[in-house]
Structure formats: C-alpha cells, structure tokens
Amino acid sequence: MSDLAGKHIVLGLSGGVACYKAAEFCRGLVKAGATVQVVMTEAAEHFITPVTMQALSGRTVYSSQWDAREGNNMPHINLSREADAIVIAPASADFMARLVHGRADDLLSLLCLARPRERVPLLVAPAMNREMYAHPATQRNLAQLRADGTVVLGVGAGEQACGETGDGRMLEPDELLYEVVRHFQPKVLSGRHVLITAGPTFEAIDPVRGLTNRSSGKMGFALARAAHEAGAQVTLVAGPVALPTPRGVQRVDVMSAQDMQRAVQASADAADVFIAAAAVADWRPANAAGQKIKKDGSGEVPALAFVENPDILAGVAQGARAKGGALYCVGFAAESHDLLAHAQAKRARKGVPLLVGNIGPDTFGRDDNALLLVDEGGTTELPRDGKLALARRLVAEIARRLPRG
Ligand code: C5P
C-alpha cells in the first residue's frame, strides 16, 4: 500500500518511554511510501538512539539547531518547509508545554514554531503517565494546542510503563499511521453520518447449524474506513466476519437478516447516507429448531422450508422517500453475468438513486474488486483496484451526489 506516496513527514521524538513505538511507526510511514526526516530532542536520545531512527528512516537524524550540515545553517527553516506534515510522537507533557509557549531553544520546538502553519499541519501524539495526562496544566495545554490549530491525537488507555493503569499511553504504531493517512484524505463527508451494512448474514437452522454465504465483509469494512477518513461519523452493522473494526467506527455485530434490519432501523433516522454492502440472505429457514436436529441412523433427511427475509435496503429507501428523501441510499449488486442490465433493474426495484454493481465470484474474499456505478445520469466504471482504494473513490462519488449539507 502506498497511502503516503509522495509525502514527506518530519517525525519528531520528544522524551518518553513511548519512543520505542516511534521506531515501528517510522517503519510504517516508510512502508506506506512516505519519506521521513527524524528530529529528536536531547531527552528522546535517552530513550532510543539516533542510530536506530537513522537506519529505519534512511536519513541522518537532526537534533541540534546548530547543525552545520545545512548550507545556510538553518535546519529549522529548511526541515519545516520541506515537510507535508510534522508529527510529534511521542509528544511529552514538557514538549507540549513548550509548544504552547512558543519556546524555541531546541531544534524540534524551534521548527514547529517556524513552520508555515497554513501549509504544514502539526500532529501531536501525547504520551505520559495518567496523572500527568489528567493534570489541569496538561489538559489546559492540550486545549490551547487545539485552539492554535494543532491536531492533537488521542491517547490509549491501559497499563503504563510506570505500572499504573489509565489514560495517557501513546497510540500504537498502526493507529498513528492510520491517523496520518486519514489526515491527508479529503474531508468530503465532514459532518455527515454514514450507516453501512457489511458481510454475510447467518440464518439459523438449529442452535449449531445455519445458512450463510461467501461474502467476506471486506468491501463494507473498507467503505466504513474510507467514510471515516472522509470525516463522517460511521455506524457499521456487520454480519458474522472476523475483520478488525476500522478505527473510529461504531460497530454493531449481528447474525441474521432480521437482526440486521433492527440494527439498521435503529440508526437510519440519524443517518445522511445508507450504504447496503451486506450480502443479506434472501431466505431463512421457516422454523429454526430450538434443539440440534439429530441424525437417527434411519437415513431420513430433514426437509427445510424457507420464508423470505425482509429487504432491508428497499425498506429503508421507501421510508426515506416517505420522509422527504433526506437519506441518500446506495445499494450493491453482486452478479455473475449481465452486470449492467441487472444493476439497472436492481436500482429501479430497490428504489435507490445509486446502485453499485460487481461480479460476485470476482470479489468475494478478495482484496481487490472492480465497480460499476449506475445512477440516473448513466454509468461510471471504477476499474479493478484494492478495496480500500475503490472505497475511497466510491465515497468521493457518493459525496458529489449528496445535497449540500
Ligand atoms: O436483491 P439483492 O440481494 O441482489 O440486492 C442487493 C442489495 O440489496 C445489496 O445492497 C444488499 O445489501 C441489499 N439487500 C438488503 N436486504 C436484503 C437483500 C438485499 O438490504 N434482504
């Protein structure tokens, strides 16, 4: 994945045990395609050596404002102007206090002060003991940093290096990477609430058996991440899949189509967009047995009768039309052939403005896909790509079609 291709990140380390996580974070940035210039405070060098950070970033580390390697002897100017973003991880309590006061007596705080604020965002990842984090002085500083336009990332909760338990741990390297990638995504769904269904449903036959399908949930989960990256509040109603919840997304786990319908109805009124990416079972066993159906050795096989499941998407779209159409509904069609014709027919049948077609056997379980968008204006093809890349493009297509919020 090259989510950060072409981006140049200044990674600043201030003093804290969490410096060990900065090494892996640096590696993650490089793997994601960024170039990384590490700058360390003197305190940070007590926790991790510049040698490690140089090896991981492939560049010599800066730590002094008097570094004569720069021709003009102004590393604070040169480094801050090259950057697409400055990320301080870990940001110690002391370092944030320095930022608040505009201190400039070490290279890292100096270059933060000298950065062109309108062009180079500053992200800080706080890391400290829970008492230090909860202290009114730190909380005041965090509020002031936000007021000054700094992006203050959250903290983790749990066991701390000091042996205490609480808020203040630095986010994990993968969480930090997600936050940086998210920062660069256009905020086309800012202020919107997006409701998404994903994955298969599971229709019980008895307490141990059931019917399901091959949907992996990957497309719906990618859409949830892409919508969150785009600034939306996201509710993800997921059938039984083992995928991790995208950061910042509210997940509701369900099993059957009826469970999914209830969960969707509970959130639909608050939503601006509904994306039905789930592969909902069309039918369910008419009478699920309360106890396991036993094989008795007679060779007789149980007969299964089915009833039709509610069509969640059609129901939500109908409800939205009845309420004046404020909710923008998007359906998916997984077909095996005649994609365009089926997608057009499905769009009309479901009563939704946008229908997204894909070839089922070419997408189930895979990490890539190709999409065909059908709306009242015609068709748009999104050629084969990774599911996250496609999800970002689909989110942008949906955002373009929304009435202005
Ligand atoms: O009718 P079909 O299952 O092919 O339609 C697919 C679209 O409708 C998908 O967006 C799917 O999530 C949605 N759907 C639904 N409830 C059903 C069946 C399908 O929301 N019972």
Side-chain angles (χ1 to χ4, degrees):
M1 265 238 260
S2 48
D3 284 336
L4 296 175
K7 300 290 184 213
H8 182 67
I9 308 293
V10 167
L11 171 59
L13 278 65
S14 58
V17 180
C19 278
Y20 79 93
K21 294 186 190 175
E24 199 175 333
F25 173 46
C26 176
R27 201 169 143 74
L29 289 169
V30 171
K31 267 190 172 172
T35 50
V36 181
Q37 176 60 60
V38 176
V39 179
M40 295 172 71
T41 63
E42 194 196 330
E45 292 185 7
H46 285 280
F47 292 92
I48 189 169
T49 68
V51 177
T52 300
M53 298 311 293
Q54 177 177 348
L56 292 172
S57 64
R59 288 166 175 252
T60 52
V61 171
Y62 281 75
S63 51
S64 163
Q65 68 268 45
W66 312 116
D67 197 317
R69 273 176 294 176
E70 296 293 306
N72 57 1
N73 215 314
M74 295 184 193
H76 62 298
I77 300 293
N78 303 349
L79 298 183
S80 63
R81 272 140 191 80
E82 285 164 8
D84 291 300
I86 300 173
V87 185
I88 310 296
S92 66
D94 176 68
F95 190 76
M96 292 191 296
R98 300 169 71 78
L99 285 178
V100 164
H101 287 278
R103 295 285 295 270
D105 52 0
D106 78 287
L107 178 59
L108 191 55
S109 31
L110 174 58
L111 74 84
C112 289
L113 191 68
R115 84 186 202 282
R117 273 178 301 140
E118 69 293 348
R119 187 167 62 73
V120 183
L122 174 62
L123 289 75
V124 297
M128 69 203 71
N129 163 270
R130 66 188 177 97
E131 296 289 2
M132 293 168 71
Y133 185 70
H135 196 285
T138 302
Q139 291 300 317
R140 244 189 344 261
N141 288 342
L142 290 170
Q144 187 59 53
L145 285 174
R146 287 192 189 97
D148 290 347
T150 303
V151 180
V152 179
L153 303 178
V155 290
E159 243 176 71
Q160 303 200 308
C162 51
E164 297 179 4
T165 304
D167 286 346
R169 270 175 29 171
M170 188 168 79
L171 295 180
E172 298 304 316
D174 60 333
E175 295 172 321
L176 291 174
L177 186 61
Y178 172 79
E179 293 293 346
V180 175
V181 170
R182 176 164 84 113
H183 186 79
F184 286 112
Q185 295 300 319
K187 297 292 172 278
V188 290
L189 290 179
S190 179
R192 310 278 194 172
H193 185 160
V194 178
L195 173 63
I196 299 173
T197 62
T201 62
F202 180 91
E203 310 296 334
I205 295 173
D206 68 18
V208 296
R209 302 185 184 92
L211 297 173
T212 187
N213 60 64
R214 288 175 55 212
S215 167
S216 64
K218 286 180 181 172
M219 193 65 218
F221 275 60
L223 280 163
R225 173 174 172 165
H228 183 252
E229 285 176 346
Q233 182 192 336
V234 182
T235 304
L236 174 62
V237 179
V241 292
L243 297 172
T245 309
R247 187 167 162 74
V249 166
Q250 194 208 340
R251 174 175 180 169
V252 183
D253 282 320
V254 296
M255 292 296 274
S256 69
Q258 288 175 303
D259 295 342
M260 186 174 274
Q261 185 186 40
R262 275 189 289 273
V264 164
Q265 279 170 349
S267 294
D269 279 349
D272 302 294
V273 179
F274 174 48
I275 308 176
V280 184
D282 292 314
W283 307 282
R284 66 177 182 277
N287 296 302
Q291 293 186 329
K292 185 182 174 191
I293 303 169
K294 300 299 287 181
K295 184 169 66 175
D296 61 9
S298 69
E300 254 183 63
V301 292
L304 282 182
F306 291 95
V307 290
E308 196 168 324
N309 266 329
D311 190 316
I312 301 168
L313 174 60
V316 169
Q318 191 181 24
R321 279 195 305 278
K323 286 179 193 152
L327 177 62
Y328 189 84
C329 294
V330 182
F332 268 74
E335 306 295 342
S336 60
H337 60 286
D338 291 339
L339 187 54
L340 177 59
H342 281 119
Q344 283 169 331
K346 200 158 285 182
R347 177 175 173 270
R349 187 152 44 82
K350 305 270 179 184
V352 295
L354 180 61
L355 204 293
V356 182
N358 56 177
I359 297 291
D362 289 351
T363 176
F364 285 167
R366 295 178 57 129
D367 290 328
D368 61 357
N369 197 4
L371 302 178
L372 180 70
L373 278 50
V374 180
D375 71 358
E376 61 174 358
T379 61
T380 312
E381 269 185 59
L382 304 187
R384 189 157 284 280
D385 206 340
K387 285 186 173 171
L388 182 57
L390 278 177
R392 287 177 180 147
R393 289 198 57 191
L394 180 54
V395 158
E397 293 284 346
I398 292 170
R400 269 197 315 113
R401 289 165 169 80
L402 294 182
R404 286 186 186 280

